[in-house]
Amino acid sequence: MTVDIILKRLERLGTPENVAGMARFGIVTKKVFGVGAPDVKKIARETGKDHDLALELWKTEVLEARGVACLIADPDKVTEAQMESWVADLDNWATCDTVTGNLFDKTPFAYRKAFEWADREEEFVRRAGFAMMAWLAVHDKKADNSKFETFLPVIEKHSGDDRNFVKKAVNWSLRQIGKRNEHLNHLAVRTAMGLSEMNSRPARWIGKDALRELTAEKTLARVRKKSK
């Protein structure tokens, strides 16, 4: 496929109702057709891996075209410069979570970028850092506990950021780390308890919300099963 073909197809599939629905969920960007995720994924499957095409689709700035780009880009061909360029373009949580969870977390730069981006001030760059932590906790099955232990002080450090899309990503990363195994659950619960007692409204929300999930019997049962 070509960029023009994909854009025309996306435009045909989009609806004003979907654009409005996305806006209600906080997905607001400069160019959007209003195409559902299943259709975006279908186009990506039909296209197959094509890194050069992904780079061109990203340049269009269209939300759904960037979604396709995230899915067809080859993580083995992703450079650090590309990651920095793309993360600087982020202006909504949906593209942020798609690119970190379908592409960036599969690169050799993932852990380092999670730390770097979490310390950056830009809203969606910082979200990308914490989203990367969450996705790595889910996807990197063979990673040593120590990799995730080092994320916990960063989570605590930025727990006072009251920007909604950052706050939710910090919470998400803490919950996902705590669901990996019993050891990390214990550490994440301890971190969440500390946050819940801090003199910071966003930190207290992050801590209390994470505690509800991480101490729930259903979660603990899954964690114990994973740890066997």
mmCIF file of all heavy atoms in Angstrom, residues 104-132:
data_model
loop_
_atom_site.group_PDB
_atom_site.id
_atom_site.type_symbol
_atom_site.label_atom_id
_atom_site.label_comp_id
_atom_site.label_asym_id
_atom_site.label_seq_id
_atom_site.Cartn_x
_atom_site.Cartn_y
_atom_site.Cartn_z
ATOM 1 N N PHE A 104 7.956 1.055 20.602
ATOM 2 C CA PHE A 104 9.119 1.511 21.363
ATOM 3 C C PHE A 104 9.568 0.518 22.426
ATOM 4 O O PHE A 104 10.758 0.401 22.716
ATOM 5 C CB PHE A 104 8.835 2.860 22.014
ATOM 6 C CG PHE A 104 8.765 4.015 21.051
ATOM 7 C CD1 PHE A 104 8.268 5.246 21.456
ATOM 8 C CD2 PHE A 104 9.195 3.893 19.735
ATOM 9 C CE1 PHE A 104 8.217 6.325 20.583
ATOM 10 C CE2 PHE A 104 9.138 4.966 18.842
ATOM 11 C CZ PHE A 104 8.641 6.184 19.280
ATOM 12 N N ASP A 105 8.607 -0.187 23.062
ATOM 13 C CA ASP A 105 8.998 -1.104 24.136
ATOM 14 C C ASP A 105 9.719 -2.347 23.621
ATOM 15 O O ASP A 105 10.241 -3.131 24.408
ATOM 16 C CB ASP A 105 7.777 -1.500 24.977
ATOM 17 C CG ASP A 105 6.789 -2.372 24.235
ATOM 18 O OD1 ASP A 105 6.671 -2.219 22.991
ATOM 19 O OD2 ASP A 105 6.123 -3.202 24.875
ATOM 20 N N LYS A 106 9.762 -2.508 22.307
ATOM 21 C CA LYS A 106 10.438 -3.657 21.700
ATOM 22 C C LYS A 106 11.839 -3.296 21.187
ATOM 23 O O LYS A 106 12.488 -4.110 20.549
ATOM 24 C CB LYS A 106 9.577 -4.227 20.571
ATOM 25 C CG LYS A 106 8.232 -4.759 21.066
ATOM 26 C CD LYS A 106 7.296 -5.072 19.919
ATOM 27 C CE LYS A 106 5.963 -5.601 20.449
ATOM 28 N NZ LYS A 106 5.260 -4.603 21.309
ATOM 29 N N THR A 107 12.259 -2.089 21.445
ATOM 30 C CA THR A 107 13.572 -1.635 20.986
ATOM 31 C C THR A 107 14.599 -1.785 22.107
ATOM 32 O O THR A 107 14.235 -1.846 23.293
ATOM 33 C CB THR A 107 13.535 -0.157 20.554
ATOM 34 O OG1 THR A 107 13.387 0.666 21.732
ATOM 35 C CG2 THR A 107 12.385 0.107 19.586
ATOM 36 N N PRO A 108 15.890 -1.806 21.769
ATOM 37 C CA PRO A 108 16.917 -1.900 22.809
ATOM 38 C C PRO A 108 17.068 -0.625 23.634
ATOM 39 O O PRO A 108 17.779 -0.615 24.635
ATOM 40 C CB PRO A 108 18.199 -2.179 22.004
ATOM 41 C CG PRO A 108 17.917 -1.685 20.629
ATOM 42 C CD PRO A 108 16.449 -1.899 20.406
ATOM 43 N N PHE A 109 16.370 0.440 23.231
ATOM 44 C CA PHE A 109 16.458 1.712 23.944
ATOM 45 C C PHE A 109 15.345 1.880 24.985
ATOM 46 O O PHE A 109 15.301 2.897 25.682
ATOM 47 C CB PHE A 109 16.361 2.883 22.951
ATOM 48 C CG PHE A 109 17.209 2.723 21.725
ATOM 49 C CD1 PHE A 109 16.625 2.443 20.485
ATOM 50 C CD2 PHE A 109 18.586 2.818 21.795
ATOM 51 C CE1 PHE A 109 17.401 2.291 19.338
ATOM 52 C CE2 PHE A 109 19.378 2.661 20.664
ATOM 53 C CZ PHE A 109 18.779 2.395 19.434
ATOM 54 N N ALA A 110 14.448 0.908 25.078
ATOM 55 C CA ALA A 110 13.204 1.074 25.831
ATOM 56 C C ALA A 110 13.417 1.474 27.283
ATOM 57 O O ALA A 110 12.817 2.451 27.767
ATOM 58 C CB ALA A 110 12.365 -0.196 25.745
ATOM 59 N N TYR A 111 14.226 0.735 28.013
ATOM 60 C CA TYR A 111 14.380 1.026 29.440
ATOM 61 C C TYR A 111 15.019 2.390 29.664
ATOM 62 O O TYR A 111 14.575 3.165 30.526
ATOM 63 C CB TYR A 111 15.198 -0.074 30.123
ATOM 64 C CG TYR A 111 14.394 -1.330 30.347
ATOM 65 C CD1 TYR A 111 14.356 -2.341 29.380
ATOM 66 C CD2 TYR A 111 13.655 -1.506 31.514
ATOM 67 C CE1 TYR A 111 13.599 -3.488 29.581
ATOM 68 C CE2 TYR A 111 12.897 -2.652 31.724
ATOM 69 C CZ TYR A 111 12.868 -3.647 30.751
ATOM 70 O OH TYR A 111 12.115 -4.778 30.952
ATOM 71 N N ARG A 112 16.047 2.703 28.898
ATOM 72 C CA ARG A 112 16.711 3.989 29.059
ATOM 73 C C ARG A 112 15.769 5.144 28.739
ATOM 74 O O ARG A 112 15.752 6.165 29.440
ATOM 75 C CB ARG A 112 17.959 4.043 28.178
ATOM 76 C CG ARG A 112 18.715 5.369 28.274
ATOM 77 C CD ARG A 112 20.168 5.206 27.866
ATOM 78 N NE ARG A 112 20.309 4.603 26.550
ATOM 79 C CZ ARG A 112 20.256 5.278 25.407
ATOM 80 N NH1 ARG A 112 20.014 6.583 25.427
ATOM 81 N NH2 ARG A 112 20.424 4.672 24.248
ATOM 82 N N LYS A 113 14.978 4.981 27.673
ATOM 83 C CA LYS A 113 14.047 6.043 27.305
ATOM 84 C C LYS A 113 12.934 6.203 28.344
ATOM 85 O O LYS A 113 12.433 7.313 28.566
ATOM 86 C CB LYS A 113 13.454 5.778 25.918
ATOM 87 C CG LYS A 113 14.458 5.985 24.788
ATOM 88 C CD LYS A 113 15.017 7.388 24.813
ATOM 89 C CE LYS A 113 16.111 7.581 23.800
ATOM 90 N NZ LYS A 113 16.771 8.906 23.924
ATOM 91 N N ALA A 114 12.536 5.111 28.977
ATOM 92 C CA ALA A 114 11.520 5.214 30.026
ATOM 93 C C ALA A 114 12.009 6.151 31.130
ATOM 94 O O ALA A 114 11.269 7.024 31.600
ATOM 95 C CB ALA A 114 11.204 3.837 30.593
ATOM 96 N N PHE A 115 13.257 5.990 31.534
ATOM 97 C CA PHE A 115 13.828 6.868 32.556
ATOM 98 C C PHE A 115 13.950 8.298 32.060
ATOM 99 O O PHE A 115 13.568 9.250 32.746
ATOM 100 C CB PHE A 115 15.219 6.362 32.968
ATOM 101 C CG PHE A 115 15.191 5.171 33.875
ATOM 102 C CD1 PHE A 115 15.605 3.934 33.432
ATOM 103 C CD2 PHE A 115 14.771 5.300 35.195
ATOM 104 C CE1 PHE A 115 15.590 2.835 34.262
ATOM 105 C CE2 PHE A 115 14.757 4.196 36.048
ATOM 106 C CZ PHE A 115 15.165 2.963 35.578
ATOM 107 N N GLU A 116 14.506 8.459 30.867
ATOM 108 C CA GLU A 116 14.739 9.802 30.323
ATOM 109 C C GLU A 116 13.441 10.570 30.147
ATOM 110 O O GLU A 116 13.336 11.748 30.539
ATOM 111 C CB GLU A 116 15.472 9.702 28.979
ATOM 112 C CG GLU A 116 16.909 9.241 29.084
ATOM 113 C CD GLU A 116 17.571 9.127 27.729
ATOM 114 O OE1 GLU A 116 16.981 9.586 26.721
ATOM 115 O OE2 GLU A 116 18.683 8.571 27.656
ATOM 116 N N TRP A 117 12.446 9.911 29.550
ATOM 117 C CA TRP A 117 11.196 10.608 29.251
ATOM 118 C C TRP A 117 10.400 10.911 30.509
ATOM 119 O O TRP A 117 9.725 11.939 30.598
ATOM 120 C CB TRP A 117 10.371 9.802 28.252
ATOM 121 C CG TRP A 117 11.003 9.735 26.894
ATOM 122 C CD1 TRP A 117 11.996 10.550 26.412
ATOM 123 C CD2 TRP A 117 10.693 8.820 25.846
ATOM 124 N NE1 TRP A 117 12.321 10.188 25.126
ATOM 125 C CE2 TRP A 117 11.540 9.126 24.750
ATOM 126 C CE3 TRP A 117 9.797 7.759 25.715
ATOM 127 C CZ2 TRP A 117 11.497 8.426 23.551
ATOM 128 C CZ3 TRP A 117 9.745 7.041 24.526
ATOM 129 C CH2 TRP A 117 10.588 7.382 23.447
ATOM 130 N N ALA A 118 10.459 10.021 31.493
ATOM 131 C CA ALA A 118 9.733 10.273 32.747
ATOM 132 C C ALA A 118 10.238 11.536 33.420
ATOM 133 O O ALA A 118 9.486 12.221 34.127
ATOM 134 C CB ALA A 118 9.880 9.080 33.686
ATOM 135 N N ASP A 119 11.494 11.879 33.193
ATOM 136 C CA ASP A 119 12.068 13.080 33.806
ATOM 137 C C ASP A 119 11.878 14.342 32.972
ATOM 138 O O ASP A 119 12.217 15.438 33.419
ATOM 139 C CB ASP A 119 13.567 12.868 34.068
ATOM 140 C CG ASP A 119 13.833 12.253 35.431
ATOM 141 O OD1 ASP A 119 12.936 12.334 36.304
ATOM 142 O OD2 ASP A 119 14.920 11.690 35.635
ATOM 143 N N ARG A 120 11.332 14.193 31.768
ATOM 144 C CA ARG A 120 11.095 15.355 30.917
ATOM 145 C C ARG A 120 9.795 16.037 31.338
ATOM 146 O O ARG A 120 8.862 15.398 31.821
ATOM 147 C CB ARG A 120 11.027 14.931 29.445
ATOM 148 C CG ARG A 120 12.351 14.412 28.900
ATOM 149 C CD ARG A 120 13.047 15.438 28.022
ATOM 150 N NE ARG A 120 12.297 15.649 26.790
ATOM 151 C CZ ARG A 120 12.449 14.900 25.683
ATOM 152 N NH1 ARG A 120 13.288 13.872 25.659
ATOM 153 N NH2 ARG A 120 11.742 15.180 24.604
ATOM 154 N N GLU A 121 9.721 17.340 31.096
ATOM 155 C CA GLU A 121 8.587 18.113 31.576
ATOM 156 C C GLU A 121 7.368 18.051 30.655
ATOM 157 O O GLU A 121 6.223 18.179 31.119
ATOM 158 C CB GLU A 121 9.010 19.576 31.759
ATOM 159 C CG GLU A 121 7.964 20.436 32.452
ATOM 160 C CD GLU A 121 7.602 19.947 33.845
ATOM 161 O OE1 GLU A 121 8.477 19.394 34.539
ATOM 162 O OE2 GLU A 121 6.427 20.109 34.225
ATOM 163 N N GLU A 122 7.581 17.860 29.332
ATOM 164 C CA GLU A 122 6.454 17.863 28.395
ATOM 165 C C GLU A 122 5.441 16.768 28.780
ATOM 166 O O GLU A 122 5.819 15.646 29.052
ATOM 167 C CB GLU A 122 6.939 17.620 26.968
ATOM 168 C CG GLU A 122 7.995 18.586 26.495
ATOM 169 C CD GLU A 122 9.394 18.041 26.639
ATOM 170 O OE1 GLU A 122 9.722 17.495 27.721
ATOM 171 O OE2 GLU A 122 10.176 18.153 25.673
ATOM 172 N N GLU A 123 4.163 17.129 28.749
ATOM 173 C CA GLU A 123 3.122 16.236 29.268
ATOM 174 C C GLU A 123 3.130 14.853 28.619
ATOM 175 O O GLU A 123 3.137 13.829 29.312
ATOM 176 C CB GLU A 123 1.742 16.878 29.081
ATOM 177 C CG GLU A 123 0.605 16.034 29.638
ATOM 178 C CD GLU A 123 -0.738 16.735 29.579
ATOM 179 O OE1 GLU A 123 -0.836 17.783 28.892
ATOM 180 O OE2 GLU A 123 -1.686 16.248 30.216
ATOM 181 N N PHE A 124 3.122 14.804 27.302
ATOM 182 C CA PHE A 124 3.002 13.495 26.658
ATOM 183 C C PHE A 124 4.351 12.784 26.530
ATOM 184 O O PHE A 124 4.381 11.569 26.332
ATOM 185 C CB PHE A 124 2.286 13.619 25.315
ATOM 186 C CG PHE A 124 0.826 13.937 25.486
ATOM 187 C CD1 PHE A 124 0.336 15.210 25.236
ATOM 188 C CD2 PHE A 124 -0.053 12.971 25.956
ATOM 189 C CE1 PHE A 124 -1.000 15.512 25.438
ATOM 190 C CE2 PHE A 124 -1.393 13.257 26.159
ATOM 191 C CZ PHE A 124 -1.877 14.529 25.905
ATOM 192 N N VAL A 125 5.445 13.508 26.670
ATOM 193 C CA VAL A 125 6.747 12.844 26.747
ATOM 194 C C VAL A 125 6.849 12.142 28.093
ATOM 195 O O VAL A 125 7.262 10.981 28.167
ATOM 196 C CB VAL A 125 7.897 13.855 26.565
ATOM 197 C CG1 VAL A 125 9.246 13.154 26.747
ATOM 198 C CG2 VAL A 125 7.827 14.498 25.184
ATOM 199 N N ARG A 126 6.466 12.847 29.146
ATOM 200 C CA ARG A 126 6.489 12.200 30.473
ATOM 201 C C ARG A 126 5.516 11.031 30.510
ATOM 202 O O ARG A 126 5.839 9.972 31.060
ATOM 203 C CB ARG A 126 6.163 13.209 31.575
ATOM 204 C CG ARG A 126 6.176 12.590 32.972
ATOM 205 C CD ARG A 126 6.145 13.640 34.067
ATOM 206 N NE ARG A 126 7.413 14.360 34.107
ATOM 207 C CZ ARG A 126 7.645 15.415 34.884
ATOM 208 N NH1 ARG A 126 6.671 15.892 35.671
ATOM 209 N NH2 ARG A 126 8.824 16.016 34.872
ATOM 210 N N ARG A 127 4.333 11.201 29.923
ATOM 211 C CA ARG A 127 3.407 10.070 29.893
ATOM 212 C C ARG A 127 4.041 8.894 29.160
ATOM 213 O O ARG A 127 3.897 7.743 29.576
ATOM 214 C CB ARG A 127 2.087 10.441 29.213
ATOM 215 C CG ARG A 127 1.106 9.252 29.222
ATOM 216 C CD ARG A 127 -0.193 9.514 28.516
ATOM 217 N NE ARG A 127 -0.977 8.290 28.453
ATOM 218 C CZ ARG A 127 -1.932 7.942 29.313
ATOM 219 N NH1 ARG A 127 -2.221 8.715 30.328
ATOM 220 N NH2 ARG A 127 -2.589 6.800 29.165
ATOM 221 N N ALA A 128 4.744 9.172 28.061
ATOM 222 C CA ALA A 128 5.390 8.103 27.298
ATOM 223 C C ALA A 128 6.379 7.334 28.162
ATOM 224 O O ALA A 128 6.496 6.106 28.049
ATOM 225 C CB ALA A 128 6.096 8.677 26.072
ATOM 226 N N GLY A 129 7.100 8.039 29.033
ATOM 227 C CA GLY A 129 8.032 7.355 29.918
ATOM 228 C C GLY A 129 7.332 6.377 30.834
ATOM 229 O O GLY A 129 7.761 5.218 30.969
ATOM 230 N N PHE A 130 6.243 6.801 31.443
ATOM 231 C CA PHE A 130 5.528 5.915 32.364
ATOM 232 C C PHE A 130 4.711 4.855 31.628
ATOM 233 O O PHE A 130 4.563 3.725 32.115
ATOM 234 C CB PHE A 130 4.666 6.735 33.320
ATOM 235 C CG PHE A 130 5.488 7.462 34.348
ATOM 236 C CD1 PHE A 130 5.723 8.824 34.252
ATOM 237 C CD2 PHE A 130 6.072 6.762 35.394
ATOM 238 C CE1 PHE A 130 6.510 9.482 35.176
ATOM 239 C CE2 PHE A 130 6.866 7.409 36.335
ATOM 240 C CZ PHE A 130 7.089 8.780 36.229
ATOM 241 N N ALA A 131 4.188 5.205 30.454
ATOM 242 C CA ALA A 131 3.495 4.194 29.648
ATOM 243 C C ALA A 131 4.473 3.103 29.251
ATOM 244 O O ALA A 131 4.126 1.909 29.247
ATOM 245 C CB ALA A 131 2.887 4.848 28.405
ATOM 246 N N MET A 132 5.720 3.483 28.927
ATOM 247 C CA MET A 132 6.737 2.503 28.575
ATOM 248 C C MET A 132 7.002 1.567 29.754
ATOM 249 O O MET A 132 7.140 0.346 29.585
ATOM 250 C CB MET A 132 8.031 3.199 28.170
ATOM 251 C CG MET A 132 9.059 2.248 27.595
ATOM 252 S SD MET A 132 9.003 2.228 25.815
ATOM 253 C CE MET A 132 10.011 3.662 25.466
#
